[in-house]
Structures are given as structure tokens and as C-alpha cells.
Amino acid sequence: MSTEEKSLHFIEQIVEENLANGFPQDNLRFRFPPEPNGYLHIGHAKSICLQFGLGLRYNAPVNLRFDDTNPAKEEQEYVDAIKEDLQWLGFQWAEERYASDYFQQLYDWAVLMIKKGKAYIDSQSSEEMAIQKGTPTQPGVDGPYRDRSIDENLALFEGMKNGDFPEGSHVLRAKIDMKSTNMLMRDPLMYRILHRHHHRTGDDWKIYPMYDFAHGESDYIEQVSHSICTLEFVMHKELYNWFLDQIYDDNKVRPHQYEFARLNLNYTVMSKRKLLQLVQENIVNGWDDPRMPTISGLRRRGYTANSIRKFCENIGVAKRENVIDFSLLEFCLREDLNKNAPRVMAVLDPVKVVITNYPLDKEESLDAENNQEDESAGFRKVPFARELYIEREDFLEVAPAKFFRLSIGNEVRLKNAYIIKGESVVKDADGNITEIHVTYDTDSLSGSGSDASKRKVAGTLHWVSIAHAVPVEVRVYDRLFIDEAPDSHKEKNFLDFMNTNSLKIVTGYVEPSLKTVAVDDKFQFQRLGYFNVDKDSTADKLVFNKTVGLKDAWEEKGKKELNSINNSLKEINKYFKVSTKAERLDIENSIGETIASVANYSLLQSSFKKNINNNKASLLFANFILKYSNLKAADFDKDELTKLYLMSLRSESTFVRSKTLLNLRDLDYDAEFKNSFKDEIIKLNSNPTKSTTDRETEILEQVINQF
């Protein structure tokens, strides 16, 4: 195998093998088949880049086919949005097709299958069909209508088509095998009655094909050679092929299904149903809310098409499911914006600076580099005057040793301007700083070549001249969820993990060069991050969205929380070594504060589970998580709780037993669960060990009295 072949992903290898075995390259055809029941999200971007990437690699057509077989959920709005997203990503389809284009052909094939005894009308309720279908371990049984005559089936199907029956009264099912180990092969539905208006066919049809029937047959009609889908459709392949068997003509290309791992991204949800819920419940401001993982939301946030394509290229195409860190998507964005986004100055939390030795009526126009990563970007002029805004966090009246920003008696450089020194402050009646008075070194202008201009100072600050500043609305966005897997926890609603700080709106000030910006223009606000102009902007009011920070704050936060958990685990060993109650209490309080500060639900769950073992320090730490974390007892798996309590009650350590008894005493759980430990506690009370303390005996009596 050549070096080039080794770099191919497995689907490209399949195509190469097909071509090597004689499949004509002119017969290669791919398709991207979205259902128009929601907006595309970042997960779809992976599929889009895969499908259209194959088309580009092999110079083969790629159809855009809307699988519009469910008018109850589909809208023209979604069709238009999908087309816009595809074109924005940089892809153009060969033909625009719709499953609804094939409704008559699909119906004719269904009639043919009835005539061949391969399909029948079932008049059971959905509940009856579910029972009759069996379970994964129990085969299904033939239903009462499975042996209807062909004539009766044809008549009923015609009546369904004509709208003679209400929704839910009849369905058309394929007659395959009710005992199949693949439950999808147990006489699957082909058609259902829906008296709904279709966005393209209007009220022409009263019955609509099911996805599994329409999808493969549509591939066949379009002569798609490689039908590529995600791993969730692996079990559907047998059915896909069975439906093709009923209509296949040897003179035509037969589509083949291949599956790849879908994109799973942490700190978000990918379910269109859940994304729709966020929109419908006004938790976000529409499908294009910049916090949404939709392509339109990412675009509005300030993401570039190039960064999304690069992200999809980096994660690759694989056969196994895995979870991609959101930080990788942000890395691809920073890499792109760093090369292309002009640098400007903006202040989002302003405090006034007065340069007391700068002339009252003087103004200067200073040179500022637009982008040091792009030599062709050139320079712009920024106005400088006596009164400026800087960020409030860039000043401390009394600063610690490693504070490299402005403070009284210390010097900093103003970006593209002069070195200033903090002299004094002005405060309001509440003690808040309203002005910072500084002096400047008149000979220290950046780029002037003077000795003073070359002088090294602790830090460099961005600023905006107050007289020339343009007030703007800045929407500071953060991740929508605080947990890395918000929809993966049993008995928890994904909405429980909403980030209440995912949007903050502030009034900021930008340099005057931004007065003439256009919607979607992108900039780096120096030292603050990347921002773009939102579509809500008007001539009178500019609105900027924070796209992404200059550093990965979430990765730093995640590492900090993980490190704090790990350090607490090390610290807990001291608990067993100190000699006084006061020392143990100090250690417990310190660990408790650390645990209470951790917001990551998944990290707490993982730490809890890992520490349910026979090590006394681990058991004590798991009990501390129960006591001090923000999680409730019901948030933990019941079997894991049971295991922890039993192991802890049997521990050799009186400290572990005591903390467990206290947790049990205060446990907010059903009485039956608490009572399940009654025998263990009574046994502990009646057979004290040498390590049993008076305190443990006291707690034991309190718990026993609860039973």
C-alpha cells in the first residue's frame, strides 16, 4: 500500500477497492440526505464534509436530497436553512432532490409488493403491534391481519391513499419474519396515514412512506452508489437491502450502505428534538442563537466556514464512537481567526484614566498594526488624548508582587502609545474607583526609536480614547451547558445543566475605526478575544458577539477542577494520621470546600464511582462527595450508593463508619432504601470493635432510632 493510500480513511479505502475491482468511476454518486425537521448542527457538518469531500476527490456528483416523508415535523423554513448552511460551508450539490418527488413511484412499488404477498395492511393499534413484535430476547408472533387476502390489502391501501380512514386506523407493513433476531425485520411499517399538509405536495397525499422504506428506494432511484450513514443505522442495513431486493434491476447500480461514527461533542446536545425544545421553550433566542451548536448559530457567533471544515478534517472518519472535546473546535477557529482577523482595541469594563501631565487640548493620531500575522494588513490610525478608558481589572491600587498591570507607583505601556505610571485614584462615596490619575513619559512613544521607547516595563494594556470611543453592545457568550455530557445521565433532565452565565450583555467602547463595520465582520479585541458584528446591528447601534477567547478558559477550568479533586484525594490521607479532632475538622472543611466548588457533574459522578473500593481513604472521600457536593442523593446510581454504604459500614476505620452513619442519618431518600441497611447497622451496634468510638456509638443510636 502506498503512502497516499495509508492516509485514506476507511470509506475512501472502500471506494478505492470498488474501483480496483472494476466499478466504473462514472457510476460513483453520493448524496447528503437531511430530514427538513430542524436546522443543521455541527454533527451534520461532519457528514457534509465527508459526502461532498468524496464528491470532490472522485469528481463525482453529490445530490442534496431532502427526506421529507413526515409532514407533521417538516417545514420549508428548514429546507431553506439547510441550503443556506451548505452553501456557506462552501459546498454545491449536483441536483436538488426530495423524497416527495418519488411518492408516486414509492406507492407503485408498495402496491407491487402487496401483489407479491410481500406486504399487508395491519389494523392493530400501535400498542398491540408493540406487544406482538416481541422483545430482543423474545421472538414476535404473527398478527391477526398478517394473512389478509391480496385483494383486501389492495382495497384497504387504496382507501388509505384516498383518505377514507382516520390516522392510526391502518398501516402498511412489510411481510418479512416475525421471529428475526433483528427486530427491525419483524414486519416493519412501510406506510402510515397522516392527514397533514405537506410543504411541497400540499394535500395530495393522505399516506406517507416510512423512512426505512423511502430512504433506500430513493437512493436507488437516484442511482447513488455509496449510501453513507452513521453507526446508528447499522441494524437498518439488513432492512435497507431487503427493500432493494424487491425492486432491484440488474441493469442498474445497486446502492450499498456504509456506516461511520457520528460526531459526539462534549458540553452540548446533538439531538434535534432537544435543540427544538430549547427553541420552543425560549431558552435560547432561535435556531441561530450563537450558543446553539447549529451551523447557523455558529455562523452568527462568528465561526468561519474554514474553521468548521478544518475541524471535520482533523477529527477524521472512523468506525468507532468517541467524544470530541469542544476545545478542538475552538482551537480550529482561533487558528483561522488569528491569521485573518484584524486587531483592534475595545474596553468592555471601563474605568477612566486621566494623564495629568498630558496637555488638555492635545490629540495625537498614532499608528497601530492591523495584524502582526499578516504583513499585507498594514496599519491604521488610532486617536490618543488625555482621558482614556482601560479595563477595570487592569488596575489594582495595591498590587501583589506578580501583578503585571497598572498600580500606584508602577509603570505599564499603553499599546501603540506611551509608558504611564500610576499616581493616585479618585473614589465615590462607596469607595469605588471612578478615576485613575497617571503621568506619562513624554519620550516613550512606541516605535519612536528613543531610549525611553525601548525601556522594558511589566505589561502592556489596551485602551480607548474617551473623546473618540464608540459605545457598543457586546454579547459575551459562553457554553450553553456546564456539564460535559448533559444528556447522558439517568433520571436527569439535560436542562438541569444549563449554564446560567452563558450570556452576559455589557456596554463596551471601541476605537473609532469600527464605526463603519458590516455584519459578520470579525476582529480580535486585543487581550480580550475574537468578536464579530451581529445581525442585530443598526447604523445607530453596533452589536458585537464574543466568538471565542484567546485562551481555552474551559480547559483551564476543567484541569483546575480535576487537579483540585486529585489533590483532595492526596490530602485525605492526612485525615487518618493527625491526632486531634480539630485537625481532622480542618482537613474535612478544606476538602469539603473544594468539592463544593466543583460544578462538573460528570467529574463528581466519576470521582464518586472510582472511590467505591476497599481503601479507607477512598471510601471516606466518596462519603465527603455525598455530603459536600451540590448533587443530591437521587443523582447517584442506587446500586453504587448501596455498594458504598455497605463497604463503608464494614470498614475497619471508625472515621469511615461514622461519616457513613451521618450520611445515612441525613439521607434524603425513600425509607425503604434506608431500611435496607438496618440489619448491618444493628450488627455494627451489637458487635463494637476496638476502634469503635463514643461518637460512633452515639451516631449509631441516632440512626437506629430512625428505623
Side-chain angles (χ1 to χ4, degrees):
M1 186 179 289
S2 70
T3 303
E4 182 181 0
E5 288 173 329
K6 287 181 181 177
S7 67
L8 301 179
H9 59 67
F10 80 96
I11 291 181
E12 289 172 331
Q13 290 173 6
I14 289 170
V15 175
E16 291 288 343
E17 186 177 340
N18 294 157
L19 295 174
N21 291 334
F23 187 86
Q25 181 154 347
D26 288 347
N27 285 352
L28 286 178
R29 182 179 287 273
F30 308 97
R31 86 287 177 268
F32 174 61
E35 295 177 70
N37 59 357
Y39 280 55
L40 298 180
H41 55 61
I42 185 65
H44 294 110
K46 178 179 178 180
S47 180
I48 290 167
C49 291
L50 169 58
Q51 309 274 7
F52 283 90
L54 288 168
L56 291 170
R57 180 179 181 88
Y58 295 104
N59 194 28
V62 183
N63 285 354
L64 169 60
R65 183 179 74 241
F66 293 96
D67 279 335
D68 55 344
T69 59
N70 186 1
K73 295 183 178 180
E74 296 158 358
E75 299 177 19
Q76 185 63 40
E77 174 193 351
Y78 299 140
V79 171
D80 296 339
I82 288 168
K83 290 162 64 175
E84 181 181 358
D85 288 345
L86 270 171
Q87 290 175 323
W88 177 77
L89 280 171
F91 299 111
Q92 187 58 51
W93 50 92
E95 296 181 29
E96 184 177 322
R97 299 287 193 99
Y98 297 81
S100 55
D101 293 339
Y102 317 134
F103 278 174
Q104 186 60 52
Q105 176 65 82
L106 293 169
Y107 176 80
D108 292 343
W109 278 333
V111 169
L112 184 62
M113 287 175 63
I114 292 173
K115 290 179 177 178
K116 290 180 176 180
K118 297 286 189 177
Y120 64 97
I121 302 298
D122 196 337
S123 305
Q124 297 180 93
S125 67
S126 57
E127 294 78 13
E128 289 170 329
M129 278 188 276
I131 294 171
Q132 173 237 339
K133 201 168 184 178
T135 68
T137 57
Q138 178 184 352
V141 296
D142 292 352
Y145 303 102
R146 199 171 194 265
D147 294 322
R148 266 177 166 153
S149 69
I150 289 175
D151 288 342
E152 185 180 3
N153 283 322
L154 289 171
L156 285 169
F157 194 45
E158 179 71 17
M160 289 167 60
K161 176 178 178 290
N162 293 337
D164 297 342
F165 306 112
E167 292 185 10
S169 57
H170 303 291
V171 294
L172 179 68
R173 295 177 71 175
K175 186 184 287 189
I176 307 178
D177 180 5
M178 289 303 297
K179 293 180 174 57
S180 173
T181 54
N182 182 351
M183 289 191 66
L184 293 171
M185 300 298 287
R186 296 179 188 177
D187 292 8
L189 272 59
M190 292 175 60
Y191 271 90
R192 77 287 209 196
I193 301 169
L194 286 175
H195 297 291
R196 307 293 179 94
H197 183 83
H198 191 279
H199 69 101
R200 294 189 75 247
T201 61
D203 300 317
D204 293 349
W205 291 89
K206 305 296 187 280
I207 56 172
Y208 291 90
M210 301 299 290
Y211 178 87
D212 275 327
F213 174 57
H215 186 77
E217 314 301 75
S218 298
D219 284 344
Y220 180 65
I221 291 170
E222 295 177 21
Q223 289 292 274
V224 170
S225 58
H226 294 71
S227 180
I228 300 164
C229 56
T230 51
L231 284 175
E232 62 198 284
F233 290 98
V234 167
M235 295 301 291
H236 295 248
K237 181 184 287 188
E238 186 178 1
L239 181 57
Y240 181 96
N241 288 328
W242 188 88
F243 279 130
L244 285 177
D245 288 341
Q246 312 313 310
I247 60 169
Y248 177 58
D249 180 339
D250 288 343
N251 295 318
K252 293 188 175 181
V253 172
R254 181 183 176 115
H256 289 273
Q257 177 179 306
Y258 303 97
E259 308 86 15
F260 70 99
R262 64 186 295 174
L263 170 61
N264 297 303
L265 200 62
N266 64 8
Y267 290 102
T268 190
V269 294
M270 293 293 204
S271 160
K272 277 197 278 189
R273 177 180 60 81
K274 290 173 181 172
L275 294 176
L276 178 61
Q277 184 179 347
L278 292 174
V279 173
Q280 290 179 332
E281 295 183 12
N282 297 317
I283 297 169
V284 296
N285 301 314
W287 286 96
D288 69 343
D289 186 298
R291 293 166 291 181
M292 291 279 273
T294 54
I295 293 174
S296 57
L298 293 169
R299 178 166 69 246
R300 186 174 177 186
R301 175 86 169 248
Y303 275 74
T304 63
N306 185 57
S307 67
I308 294 176
R309 292 195 304 268
K310 185 67 175 177
F311 170 70
C312 293
E313 178 186 333
N314 286 351
I315 62 176
V317 179
K319 296 181 182 181
R320 295 173 61 183
E321 295 278 7
N322 64 335
V323 179
I324 305 298
D325 197 315
F326 203 97
S327 298
L328 179 58
L329 176 60
E330 293 179 331
F331 171 81
C332 293
L333 176 62
R334 287 191 194 92
E335 194 175 50
D336 191 38
L337 291 176
N338 184 51
K339 297 173 185 174
N340 303 304
R343 276 55 166 164
V344 296
M345 290 192 288
V347 176
L348 304 189
D349 184 17
V351 62
K352 184 177 180 179
V353 170
V354 179
I355 307 174
T356 56
N357 62 334
Y358 195 91
L360 283 170
D361 56 352
K362 183 179 178 181
E363 287 184 5
E364 294 181 73
S365 187
L366 305 180
D367 288 325
E369 194 174 15
N370 287 326
N371 188 345
Q372 62 268 33
E373 300 294 326
D374 180 4
E375 293 182 3
S376 65
F379 290 79
R380 68 189 186 285
K381 295 290 186 180
V382 290
F384 184 84
R386 175 186 171 92
E387 295 185 347
L388 312 170
Y389 284 136
I390 66 168
E391 296 289 346
R392 189 170 294 276
E393 68 172 18
D394 281 341
F395 176 78
L396 281 179
E397 192 172 0
V398 179
K402 293 188 177 181
F403 185 74
F404 300 123
R405 287 170 273 183
L406 183 63
S407 59
I408 300 301
N410 289 329
E411 290 184 325
V412 293
R413 174 171 292 284
L414 296 175
K415 182 72 175 172
N416 306 308
Y418 297 93
I419 293 173
I420 59 172
K421 180 180 180 181
E423 303 289 352
S424 62
V425 296
V426 176
K427 299 181 180 180
D428 62 17
D430 296 323
N432 299 310
I433 295 173
T434 57
E435 289 184 12
I436 304 166
H437 288 187
V438 304
T439 54
Y440 85 117
D441 184 337
T442 58
D443 198 32
S444 63
L445 180 62
S446 292
S448 64
S450 67
D451 290 341
S453 70
K454 299 174 184 177
R455 187 152 50 87
K456 300 295 182 185
V457 290
T460 301
L461 308 184
H462 61 278
W463 52 273
V464 176
S465 167
I466 293 177
H468 306 88
V470 179
V472 295
E473 178 180 307
V474 181
R475 298 171 183 174
V476 182
Y477 290 104
D478 202 349
R479 295 184 187 178
L480 197 54
F481 297 97
I482 59 172
D483 188 75
E484 61 191 48
D487 58 351
S488 68
H489 305 291
K490 290 191 299 183
E491 300 177 2
K492 291 289 286 185
N493 191 316
F494 76 103
L495 297 178
D496 293 340
F497 301 106
M498 300 300 301
N499 180 5
T500 55
N501 295 315
S502 63
L503 171 60
K504 293 179 182 178
I505 299 177
V506 300
T507 297
Y509 295 89
V510 299
E511 62 179 71
S513 68
L514 273 67
K515 281 183 179 179
T516 58
V517 295
V519 172
D520 289 335
D521 281 353
K522 297 165 178 59
F523 301 92
Q524 183 194 106
F525 288 1
Q526 290 184 310
R527 299 179 65 234
L528 298 176
Y530 294 98
F531 294 74
N532 81 310
V533 184
D534 188 77
K535 68 178 184 180
D536 288 344
S537 294
T538 64
D540 300 322
K541 180 183 178 182
L542 288 176
V543 178
F544 284 88
N545 299 325
K546 183 175 182 179
T547 306
V548 67
L550 296 176
K551 294 182 179 179
D552 187 348
W554 277 84
E555 183 180 19
E556 291 178 9
K557 179 184 177 184
K559 286 180 179 177
K560 184 178 179 180
E561 288 189 337
L562 180 59
N563 287 338
S564 67
I565 288 286
N566 290 337
N567 289 335
S568 292
L569 270 167
K570 295 175 184 176
E571 191 74 14
I572 208 166
N573 287 305
K574 296 179 183 177
Y575 189 93
F576 299 94
K577 297 176 181 178
V578 296
S579 56
T580 68
K581 182 179 179 180
E583 289 174 304
R584 286 192 296 274
L585 191 59
D586 284 343
I587 293 171
E588 179 176 346
N589 288 339
S590 174
I591 293 172
E593 287 177 8
T594 296
I595 292 171
S597 70
V598 175
N600 190 327
Y601 183 93
S602 294
L603 177 59
L604 289 169
Q605 287 275 3
S606 174
S607 299
F608 178 76
K609 188 173 182 178
K610 286 178 182 176
N611 284 285
I612 303 175
N613 57 58
N614 281 318
N615 180 285
K616 63 183 180 181
S618 297
L619 290 174
L620 186 60
F621 190 72
N623 275 286
F624 282 168
I625 291 176
L626 277 180
K627 181 177 180 180
Y628 292 106
S629 75
N630 294 317
L631 277 59
K632 299 181 177 66
D635 293 331
F636 296 96
D637 183 89
K638 200 169 187 177
D639 291 339
E640 291 173 3
L641 273 177
T642 301
K643 184 179 177 183
L644 172 67
Y645 283 131
L646 288 175
M647 293 181 75
S648 298
L649 290 171
R650 296 167 185 170
S651 172
E652 63 180 20
S653 169
T654 184
F655 301 131
V656 173
R657 295 194 302 265
S658 296
K659 293 303 175 187
T660 304
L661 288 166
L662 285 169
N663 277 340
L664 266 172
R665 184 193 67 184
D666 302 329
L667 181 65
D668 182 19
Y669 222 88
D670 61 83
E672 182 182 353
F673 179 73
K674 294 181 76 167
N675 283 334
S676 67
F677 303 100
K678 181 177 180 179
D679 292 343
E680 198 73 34
I681 292 168
I682 291 173
K683 186 194 305 180
L684 192 60
N685 188 47
S686 59
N687 298 294
T689 67
K690 288 182 180 180
S691 65
T692 303
T693 63
D694 292 341
R695 175 59 175 157
E696 184 178 352
T697 302
E698 178 189 340
I699 302 167
L700 268 167
E701 291 176 358
Q702 293 175 7
V703 176
I704 289 171
N705 288 334
Q706 287 185 341
F707 294 127

